[in-house]
Every structure is written in C-alpha cells, then in structure tokens.
C-alpha cells in the first residue's frame, strides 16, 4: 500500500511557488500604486520664500520668516528680545511695487506667529519684512513710526 499524505492542505500552500509569486506581484502593485497616489495627499506645504530678519546695526539674525504655498507667513524667533513695557513689536511687509508697507500685526517677543496673507497680493522676490518698535497699541498712523529692530528681504526657495 502506498503511504498516504497526512499533511494539512494549508502546509502545501505555504510551499507553493505560484502562491508566493502571486503574492509578490500583488505586493509590488500595491506599493507602486501607493507611491503614485499618496505622496501628493500628505505632503506638508512647502516653503516658497524665506527671509532672515537681522538687526540693522550689527546684522545679527533675530527672526526667520517662512512664506508657504498655503498663503501664510510664519515668523519664527531665533532668540529672546527685551521690549520696554510701554512699547510693542509690529510686523510689516512691503513689496517693491506697493505704495506703502502693510502691518501684519503686533508680535510678542520670543513667540512664533502665523499670519494669513488673505488681503495681500502674492509673495514676491525681494519683498521687505521688518519689525519696528511702536507704541504699546501699535503704530498710530498705520505706517511704521518707530525704529527698525529687524529687517530683511525675501528670497525664493526652490
């Protein structure tokens, strides 16, 4: 009498070359599809412009400005700055073809700020950014009145 095969059927599946080849093809297809579809959906917005704001007198860096593709500007402090109690820092920007600078708001020393650019035209190369020392409530004229604390111009990041 020939010996009977008493091995379970699933054991033969694990030893099947056709099964492993098929599983490999399915895996590679899924990985290729994921590489094509997923990256565009989960990438954070890329920085399009960058500015290093420096102190005018000694050119020491104090802040970094990142302008992102999602129409936001981030102001990032590089250190802590002491501001007199009766004063505040006001954030400004002006492109070359604008008539006047535009306030982006009051900034707390050492605090990261994210500012939407909804009411401004798009970012431009060489766009000026500055922080000025203003009265506690900000500039009374709508234009910079106090001394410039930090200043810099935008460069495009590729």
């Amino acid at each position: 009498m020939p010996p009977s095969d008493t091995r379970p059927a699933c054991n033969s599946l694990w030893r099947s070359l056709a099964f492993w080849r098929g599983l490999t093809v399915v895996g590679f297809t899924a990985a290729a599809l994921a590489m094509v579809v997923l990256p565009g959906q989960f990438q954070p917005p890329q920085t399009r412009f960058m500015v290093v704001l420096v102190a005018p007198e000694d050119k020491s860096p104090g802040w970094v400005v990142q302008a992102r593709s999602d129409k936001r500007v981030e102001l990032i402090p590089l250190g802590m700055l002491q501001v007199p109690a009766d004063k505040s820092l006001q954030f400004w920007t002006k492109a070359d073809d604008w008539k006047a600078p535009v306030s982006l708001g009051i900034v707390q020393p050492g605090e990261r700020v994210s500012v939407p650019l909804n009411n401004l035209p798009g970012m431009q190369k060489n766009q000026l950014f500055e922080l000025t020392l203003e009265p506690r409530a900000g500039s009374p004229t709508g234009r910079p009145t106090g001394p410039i604390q930090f200043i810099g111009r935008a460069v495009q990041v590729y």
Side-chain angles (χ1 to χ4, degrees), residues 49 93-102 121-129 151-155:
F49 290 90
T93 188
K94 181 184 180 302
D96 291 338
D97 59 348
W98 299 359
K99 292 182 182 181
V102 175
M123 286 285 304
Q124 300 175 19
K125 291 180 190 174
N126 207 37
Q127 186 166 334
L128 178 73
F129 286 88
I151 190 168
R153 292 202 175 260
V155 293

Side-chain angles (χ1 to χ4, degrees), residues 55-131:
E57 61 278 348
D58 64 1
K59 304 295 184 222
S60 61
W63 301 77
V64 172
V65 177
Q66 293 180 346
R68 299 183 177 272
S69 60
D70 63 356
K71 296 286 212 166
R72 297 190 77 71
V73 167
E74 279 190 76
L75 179 64
I76 304 164
L78 298 177
M80 192 60 175
L81 172 71
Q82 297 298 322
V83 175
D86 63 333
K87 300 286 183 182
S88 65
L89 285 176
Q90 194 160 355
F91 188 31
W92 302 90
T93 188
K94 181 184 180 302
D96 291 338
D97 59 348
W98 299 359
K99 292 182 182 181
V102 175
S103 174
L104 298 177
I106 303 292
V107 174
Q108 299 301 318
E111 244 181 60
R112 188 179 192 135
V113 178
S114 182
V115 180
L117 297 177
N118 300 340
N119 299 329
L120 299 178
M123 286 285 304
Q124 300 175 19
K125 291 180 190 174
N126 207 37
Q127 186 166 334
L128 178 73
F129 286 88
E130 64 184 20
L131 287 167

Side-chain angles (χ1 to χ4, degrees), residues 51-56 128-131 148-153:
V51 185
V52 176
L53 299 180
V54 297
L128 178 73
F129 286 88
E130 64 184 20
L131 287 167
I148 296 171
Q149 302 298 297
F150 296 94
I151 190 168
R153 292 202 175 260

Side-chain angles (χ1 to χ4, degrees), residues 10-33:
C10 68
N11 199 12
S12 64
L13 180 64
W14 291 112
R15 293 180 183 201
S16 167
L17 183 58
F19 170 75
W20 288 110
R21 284 182 178 167
L23 192 59
T24 301
V25 168
V26 169
F28 277 119
T29 302
L33 185 61

